[in-house]
Amino acid sequence: IMAADSMEIDDALYSRQRYVLGDTAMQKMAQSHVFLSGIGGLGVEIAKNIILAGVKALTVHDTKRCTKWDLGINFFIHEDDVTSQRNRAEATLHRIAELNPYVHVAASTVPLDETTDLSFLKHYQCVILTEVSLLLQKKINDFCHAQQPPIKFISADVYGVCSRLFCDFGDEFEVLDTTGEEPKEIFISNITQSNPGIVTCLENHPHRLETGQFLTFREVNGMSCLNGSTHQITVVSPYSFSIGDTSEMEPYLHGGIAVQVKTPKMCYFERLEKQITNPLCLVADFSKPEAPLQIHVAMLALNHFQEKFGRGPNIGCLQDAEEMLKIAMSISETLENKSQVNGDVVKWLSRTAQGFLPPLAAAVGGVASQEVLKAVTGKFSPLQQWLYIDVLDIVTPLEKVGSEEFLPRGDRYDALRACIGDSLCQKLHDLNVFLVGCGAIGCEMLKNFALLGVGTGQDKGLVTITDPDLIEKSNLNRQFLFRPHHIQKPKSYTAAEATLNINPYIKIDSDINKVCPATENTYSDEFYTKQDVIVTALDNVEARRYIDSRCVANLRPLIDSGTMGTKGHTEVIVPHLTESYNSHRDPPEEEIPFCTLKSFPAAIEHTIQWARDKFESSFSHKPSLFNKFWQTYPSAEEVLQRIKSGESLEGCFHVIKTLSRRPRSWTQCVELARVKFEKYFSHKALQLLHSFPLDTRLKDGSLFWQSPKRPPFPVKFEFNDPLHYGFIVSAAKLFATVYCVPFTEKDLSEETILGIVSSVKVPEFRPSNKVVQTDETARKPDHVPVSSEDERNAIFQLEKSILSNEALETDLQMKPISFEKDDDSNGHIDFITAASNLRAKMYNIEPADRFKTKRIAGKIIPAIATATAAVSGLVALELIKVVGGYTADAYKNCFLNLAIPIMVFTETAEVRRTEIRNGISFTIWDRWTVYGKEDFTLLDFINAVREKYGIEPTMVVQGVKMLYVPVMPGHIKRLKLT
């Protein structure tokens, strides 16, 4: 067994999830053994998510045999499993094991009942029960709770339209990190000498802290005894907080950073037996705070019914519903908080309890799996202790539908039919849906479509999917339809094939188009009008906005969703009823000011962005411009003639400079890297200190170099410093690549590089008097003017290159590099990490490891299968309502954060109406049609609008084109045009 801290994490597979959980949690997971009973529709969801996440071992336990019914609820049971009546755990074993080669998966088929000796569970750190009777749940929970340390216990059930999740992690459970958010760093502008001392942060930067949190201080000038000390804070305002008595300290002068300190938190749990009578529930829908308790009672009544009659209530049977209502009444009396029994909840639960809604299981399974990961890692706040989710808004409108609609027909959709009736099932079969994106959410959506039978109708129904991307190894951690042998194959084709394994009757049309204005012809308005609903599964905001505008233009419903780490959202957009995605604008991402990047970094993010920009300009942008120039002007001789005759060719000065300095051997590449080191990490600092000496003061007498400005100090090159050496090697390799210089393993040896570096003549620093930009609002200049001296120089350099035969065809080509964050062998992240950390060292900024640098430089969105699965399940539930043509109050948007955990359902925003005058108003969904004749002029059109709607048009535009604006010259003449 490997020691925990030395365990290697396969970053190529797990990188997106590592950013969510961190390495400590990942290593704890990789040592934990988990037991899961019941591999039905909910169990298989939980198994999928925790295997993808990477626990050490999972045992799946089940005693039931596969039936036709299972095909509609378990995506890993196939038709041949049903014909050969295999045990469900054995049938799914190899398919779930394939999801992650690092996880040991075993099946158990022995009976688990009241007589079982439970000591075998001591081998596990976490036990999850699904489809287990309440009596047995209590018995197993008592056993788990009594162990030292306690075995973490989770039970989860989905019956028809209701679901519940329960957690008990023992009397005391320590949480190491309650939210998973990065510790905040706050720049300080003032600290008072008082009791309590008030700390004020820099203007325009709210601290976003909460009372009771802990902070530590560093780099405070004046009141320096604060540095290194930890204080509990009380929030005073969004920009200030108090820290206790500072009246005896030295007066504050300037600077200082307050850093949030993460403190472990203890959580306390009660056993299931106790929690049944006094439940602590998470409220998911604040418009119905009483709902969790009502479902709690209804589901307990269902469990008692099952125990009393040895069966569940029959589909649509009124007597059974009445019986369950009586049981519910007597249970509610035994609770400590006596709750009103909600007859509707009990009735619908009774009517649908035999049935199963796969998307509801996906949503609950996502949440439950995250709880498993919390149980074995102590990362994030556990659920205390119940979560109830219901979808009564799907069935309430079906009140009048005859009960025969819900009865089984002997096919794979019987479980679904028992919940939503046959007519809605048929509508799902006949659905045309366009799914944009086959990443993590896309894969989960296709699985939901397959289980719901979307696009399987005999004459109607089709699922169209598109995704331009190829499968990468890092996708396998959450895009569960893909396997290692699919790497580098198109996502859409592969996902379509995998979906047919779940439901061979689904019709899928897969494309590899990118959906953006450029594909307007591929997906025409005619295409959009054929779709009954569009589902987006993208992480690109611009693409979402574009698709939304096409949906509005073609009056089509859209369901959008997204995740970031453990956070997720869903939004449903229905013509004429709701606002659209474009109705609200996300706040724009804060751009780092140009002067901050160039000269005054204050945080590691600034140095990483600087290094990323250096990579782009040196290895991608400059080589591309170089190639473009020599494609335009094929020979060096011709260029020389033209500039000699006084022509100015765009970009020629930089291109000639690059050509004349072009390294032609590995030695020259290493020399170039060493010279760049001096320029970036020594000369830059010396120049800034020449322009602004340390004692420089501003007009108001305050120091120039004070927080957030940090003075730089030159870095002296040390060959034996791994950071310095790392920069030289990675920069030299990239220069060699762009300048097409071959190099060998021997070239990369320390001894070779030391030999080259020690004989490099490094240019001395010469101060310049050019102005340093300090204005935060200034943008990067587009063009730097070229002086006449530079031009004369260019002629001289080009003549020299031609004479020495160094301007031949091969010299006029470079090889631009595209930044690729996920290939560790290419050295891209190595260069950016080394460059960023050297710059950080120069400015005395805390460095970042390669892992953090990769996330920031690569703009990687952290991702984990649990949140993805939950969000996709919620989308599919809304899809059912859209297909049923429900009224506005049925739809729900959701925001969730599984780390805290919270889940908030809200009604969709009602579409805004604009009143023009009495009786005439419009929304974004309205279209007015004016029917014209053969020779219908612009004036006729304006008159027709005036007559029909009684309004005076002031201008006519089409898209962004101004057709008629009376004040524009010549527009009046347009009135007589057709």
Side-chain angles (χ1 to χ4, degrees):
I1 292 173
M2 295 178 76
D5 49 356
S6 68
M7 199 195 75
E8 272 292 307
I9 293 173
D10 183 348
D11 188 63
L13 175 66
Y14 286 125
S15 79
R16 305 307 187 259
Q17 180 178 296
R18 274 177 86 180
Y19 292 120
V20 182
L21 297 175
D23 287 6
T24 312
M26 292 279 295
Q27 282 157 346
K28 283 182 180 169
M29 267 166 32
Q31 296 168 62
S32 49
H33 296 252
V34 178
F35 179 84
L36 166 68
S37 179
I39 193 97
L42 178 56
V44 74
E45 280 285 345
I46 297 172
K48 158 179 65 82
N49 298 336
I50 58 182
I51 288 174
L52 289 170
V55 294
K56 179 170 189 177
L58 173 71
T59 302
V60 288
H61 166 265
D62 201 291
T63 54
K64 296 179 183 160
R65 305 214 161 269
C66 298
T67 64
K68 193 93 185 219
W69 185 274
D70 287 304
L71 295 174
I73 66 175
N74 183 323
F75 47 86
F76 279 150
I77 287 178
H78 299 169
E79 288 182 348
D80 55 334
D81 300 321
V82 177
T83 20
S84 51
Q85 291 196 321
R86 296 175 70 190
N87 168 286
R88 295 196 302 182
E90 287 172 342
T92 50
L93 179 70
H94 67 282
R95 293 174 194 135
I96 51 177
E98 264 189 350
L99 291 167
N100 189 339
Y102 292 106
V103 182
H104 305 288
V105 189
S108 162
T109 58
V110 297
L112 181 61
D113 52 36
E114 267 68 45
T115 63
T116 307
D117 173 7
L118 296 178
S119 55
F120 77 96
L121 289 175
K122 288 182 180 179
H123 174 61
Y124 300 98
Q125 283 78 52
C126 181
V127 168
I128 311 135
L129 305 181
T130 69
E131 303 185 22
V132 170
S133 76
L134 192 61
L135 279 174
L136 187 51
Q137 284 185 36
K138 288 181 196 173
K139 182 184 170 181
I140 294 175
N141 173 247
D142 287 343
F143 175 84
C144 290
H145 195 99
Q147 301 308 305
Q148 279 309 329
I151 299 169
K152 317 300 179 281
F153 174 89
I154 296 172
S155 70
D157 285 299
V158 172
Y159 287 108
V161 291
C162 295
S163 70
R164 81 174 157 212
L165 174 60
F166 172 79
C167 295
D168 167 16
F169 295 173
D171 289 331
E172 290 190 345
F173 177 76
E174 188 179 43
V175 177
L176 302 171
D177 178 352
T178 54
T179 63
E181 302 292 330
E182 290 260 321
K184 298 187 178 74
E185 293 207 349
I186 294 121
F187 288 95
I188 295 166
S189 69
N190 188 40
I191 307 174
T192 61
Q193 254 180 316
S194 55
N195 185 8
I198 306 285
V199 181
T200 310
C201 23
L202 278 184
E203 54 188 318
N204 305 336
H205 292 285
H207 54 68
R208 299 196 174 90
L209 296 166
E210 291 167 23
T211 294
Q213 290 180 325
F214 289 88
L215 296 179
T216 175
F217 292 86
R218 65 166 199 256
E219 299 178 30
V220 175
N221 291 286
M223 205 177 270
S224 53
C225 60
L226 280 178
N227 292 331
S229 65
T230 302
H231 299 262
Q232 193 168 17
I233 66 138
T234 305
V235 171
V236 176
S237 80
Y239 297 93
S240 62
F241 50 86
S242 67
I243 56 168
D245 193 352
T246 58
S247 53
E248 299 298 308
M249 297 181 185
E250 294 286 304
Y252 170 84
L253 291 173
H254 64 85
I257 298 173
V259 185
Q260 188 187 348
V261 179
K262 294 250 170 178
T263 45
K265 181 185 168 193
M266 202 56 89
C267 295
Y268 306 97
F269 290 85
E270 292 179 343
R271 291 176 311 133
L272 179 59
E273 183 78 65
K274 184 144 194 253
Q275 273 286 308
I276 281 176
T277 54
N278 190 14
L280 179 61
C281 302
L282 184 74
V283 176
D285 187 340
F286 291 105
S287 67
K288 304 186 294 188
E290 68 293 337
L293 212 51
Q294 294 175 348
I295 307 168
H296 180 75
V297 171
M299 291 190 81
L300 288 176
L302 174 65
N303 293 126
H304 283 262
F305 185 102
Q306 289 164 329
E307 279 159 28
K308 187 173 172 181
F309 298 102
R311 64 171 177 87
N314 283 324
I315 297 171
C317 168
L318 292 176
Q319 286 108 317
D320 284 358
E322 285 302 316
E323 179 63 36
M324 232 172 84
L325 194 56
K326 279 187 214 148
I327 299 173
M329 292 293 195
S330 61
I331 287 174
S332 75
E333 291 303 310
T334 66
L335 297 193
E336 290 187 27
N337 293 0
K338 304 242 182 306
S339 108
Q340 288 299 119
V341 173
N342 182 325
D344 282 345
V345 174
V346 177
K347 175 188 74 184
W348 278 112
L349 177 58
S350 171
R351 283 184 66 169
T352 60
Q354 297 270 8
F356 190 89
L357 267 176
L360 181 57
V364 179
V367 184
S369 320
Q370 189 70 56
E371 295 306 313
V372 175
L373 304 187
K374 293 174 190 180
V376 298
T377 63
K379 176 92 174 190
F380 306 140
S381 307
L383 168 69
Q384 290 186 293
Q385 284 184 263
W386 303 87
L387 171 67
Y388 285 99
I389 304 174
D390 72 280
V391 284
L392 255 70
D393 37 23
I394 288 185
V395 289
T396 313
L398 306 176
E399 187 68 58
K400 307 267 186 297
V401 176
S403 60
E404 69 289 344
E405 275 247 358
F406 297 85
L407 297 173
R409 316 246 161 138
D411 62 16
R412 61 168 62 221
Y413 306 112
D414 278 346
L416 174 66
R417 191 175 284 113
C419 296
I420 65 170
D422 192 57
S423 303
L424 255 179
C425 284
Q426 286 308 322
K427 284 183 177 168
L428 286 166
H429 299 341
D430 293 346
L431 197 67
N432 288 330
V433 59
F434 182 30
L435 173 66
V436 188
C438 298
I441 292 179
C443 284
E444 293 282 340
M445 281 317 310
L446 284 167
K447 170 246 326 178
N448 294 335
F449 290 169
L451 294 174
L452 293 171
V454 168
T456 56
Q458 294 223 299
D459 313 314
K460 293 188 201 148
L462 176 68
V463 177
T464 306
I465 61 176
T466 187
D467 193 311
D469 291 350
L470 301 180
I471 296 162
E472 306 283 346
K473 185 174 177 182
S474 67
N475 300 150
L476 305 182
N477 174 231
R478 65 199 177 285
Q479 304 180 13
F480 86 102
L481 297 177
F482 308 143
R483 301 289 172 271
H485 61 269
H486 294 138
I487 289 173
Q488 287 305 305
K489 291 188 174 159
K491 284 186 178 179
S492 60
Y493 301 157
T494 312
E497 205 177 313
T499 309
L500 285 166
N501 285 332
I502 302 174
N503 186 340
Y505 305 99
I506 190 167
K507 292 172 284 178
I508 305 184
D509 196 351
S510 40
D511 301 330
I512 48 173
N513 303 317
K514 186 176 180 171
V515 179
C516 60
T519 57
E520 201 115 352
N521 305 334
T522 319
Y523 300 114
S524 60
D525 285 340
E526 192 185 356
F527 170 81
Y528 276 92
T529 34
K530 279 186 184 153
Q531 305 308 315
D532 299 302
V533 62
I534 289 93
V535 176
T536 43
L538 299 159
D539 50 17
N540 178 334
V541 174
E542 289 319 307
R544 279 174 163 157
R545 292 203 181 289
Y546 168 70
I547 293 163
D548 176 78
S549 65
R550 297 293 300 272
C551 290
V552 172
N554 293 290
L555 302 179
R556 284 292 163 267
L558 166 69
I559 313 178
D560 177 58
S561 61
T563 69
M564 182 172 163
T566 54
K567 302 183 185 89
H569 81 274
T570 64
E571 183 176 7
V572 59
I573 293 152
V574 185
H576 306 297
L577 300 182
T578 69
E579 289 285 297
S580 77
Y581 182 79
N582 283 311
S583 308
H584 50 81
R585 286 266 167 194
D586 295 328
E589 270 189 50
E590 274 186 35
E591 276 206 354
I592 305 169
F594 173 61
C595 71
T596 302
L597 281 179
K598 195 165 165 51
S599 307
F600 308 114
I604 195 69
E605 287 76 6
H606 303 159
T607 68
I608 292 173
Q609 188 59 50
W610 173 87
R612 175 72 183 84
D613 293 347
K614 272 281 170 272
F615 179 95
E616 199 58 32
S617 69
S618 306
F619 309 123
S620 176
H621 189 60
K622 278 182 188 166
S624 301
L625 290 179
F626 186 88
N627 288 349
K628 199 171 155 193
F629 182 87
W630 294 115
Q631 278 155 10
T632 316
Y633 309 105
S635 81
E637 289 74 9
E638 182 194 329
V639 169
L640 183 61
Q641 285 325 110
R642 291 173 77 161
I643 39 180
K644 273 188 166 170
S645 67
E647 259 190 82
S648 74
L649 310 182
E650 197 187 343
C652 80
F653 168 65
H654 290 293
V655 166
I656 292 166
K657 190 169 137 186
T658 305
L659 177 66
S660 67
R661 296 180 178 182
R662 180 175 188 133
R664 292 162 190 283
S665 66
W666 172 247
T667 301
Q668 288 176 343
C669 291
V670 176
E671 287 170 351
L672 180 58
R674 174 65 187 90
V675 170
K676 291 289 186 196
F677 181 100
E678 204 65 18
K679 178 186 165 186
Y680 296 157
F681 310 120
S682 172
H683 292 185
K684 173 73 186 178
L686 296 167
Q687 177 61 45
L688 273 170
L689 294 172
H690 168 77
S691 303
F692 304 105
L694 285 177
D695 53 7
T696 307
R697 289 190 181 269
L698 298 168
K699 288 194 182 78
D700 65 2
S702 61
L703 280 169
F704 176 85
W705 291 109
Q706 65 164 307
S707 178
K709 280 197 178 71
R710 310 170 72 85
F713 296 98
V715 177
K716 189 176 178 318
F717 180 75
E718 299 279 351
F719 186 82
N720 292 330
D721 185 321
L723 185 58
H724 300 203
Y725 179 73
F727 175 83
I728 299 291
V729 174
S730 59
K733 278 165 76 172
L734 292 168
F735 282 129
T737 307
V738 294
Y739 288 111
C740 313
V741 173
F743 57 91
T744 62
E745 276 301 304
K746 186 170 181 292
D747 287 331
L748 292 171
S749 72
E750 264 189 52
E751 145 185 36
T752 309
I753 287 170
L754 178 61
I756 300 169
V757 168
S758 46
S759 57
V760 174
K761 301 238 180 326
V762 178
E764 276 189 23
F765 170 66
R766 287 201 186 85
S768 108
N769 290 323
K770 67 177 185 198
V771 179
V772 176
Q773 180 60 266
T774 57
D775 175 8
E776 291 212 357
T777 57
R779 321 259 323 156
K780 184 175 181 175
D782 285 340
H783 284 290
V784 181
V786 177
S787 67
S788 52
E789 189 192 344
D790 288 338
E791 282 177 3
R792 281 197 301 279
N793 223 343
I795 293 175
F796 169 71
Q797 285 175 336
L798 187 55
E799 280 180 328
K800 197 172 152 204
S801 296
I802 293 170
L803 283 171
S804 43
N805 273 341
E806 289 185 346
L808 307 172
E809 199 177 329
T810 49
D811 299 313
L812 306 184
Q813 281 171 359
M814 284 175 76
K815 187 178 167 197
I817 297 177
S818 304
F819 174 63
E820 169 47 62
K821 57 189 177 289
D822 282 317
D823 174 1
D824 287 346
S825 64
N826 65 19
H828 298 187
I829 295 293
D830 296 334
F831 169 83
I832 290 170
T833 305
S836 162
N837 283 341
L838 279 163
R839 188 168 172 85
K841 191 172 184 172
M842 170 166 118
Y843 282 96
N844 197 14
I845 292 168
E846 197 72 18
D849 61 8
R850 186 182 190 282
F851 181 59
K852 179 176 178 177
T853 305
K854 173 174 160 174
R855 173 176 65 82
I856 296 170
K859 294 188 164 60
I860 291 175
I861 298 173
I864 188 164
T866 49
T868 312
V871 157
S872 315
L874 296 170
V875 167
L877 291 170
E878 295 307 310
L879 176 84
I880 297 173
K881 301 175 197 172
V882 170
V883 171
Y886 284 22
T887 53
D889 55 353
Y891 301 106
K892 293 280 189 288
N893 291 337
C894 181
F895 170 77
L896 55 84
N897 183 351
L898 300 183
I900 303 184
I902 58 163
M903 200 166 195
V904 182
F905 291 98
T906 52
E907 290 197 357
T908 53
E910 194 182 340
V911 67
R912 278 211 310 278
R913 279 210 160 269
T914 306
E915 285 279 335
I916 298 176
R917 59 178 180 78
N918 285 351
I920 292 192
S921 63
F922 69 88
T923 73
I924 52 166
W925 301 101
D926 283 318
R927 302 287 170 274
W928 288 352
T929 309
V930 172
Y931 295 96
K933 298 181 284 299
E934 192 87 342
D935 50 0
F936 201 68
T937 64
L938 184 55
L939 181 62
D940 292 336
F941 171 70
I942 290 173
N943 288 336
V945 173
R946 188 187 289 120
E947 281 161 34
K948 191 167 178 186
Y949 301 105
I951 52 177
E952 189 62 53
T954 51
M955 57 189 204
V956 182
V957 298
Q958 183 214 356
V960 292
K961 299 186 196 79
M962 290 194 268
L963 302 188
Y964 175 66
V965 183
V967 295
M968 300 282 278
H971 274 217
I972 299 289
K973 291 181 186 159
R974 295 181 173 184
L975 287 172
K976 52 181 189 289
L977 299 176
T978 54

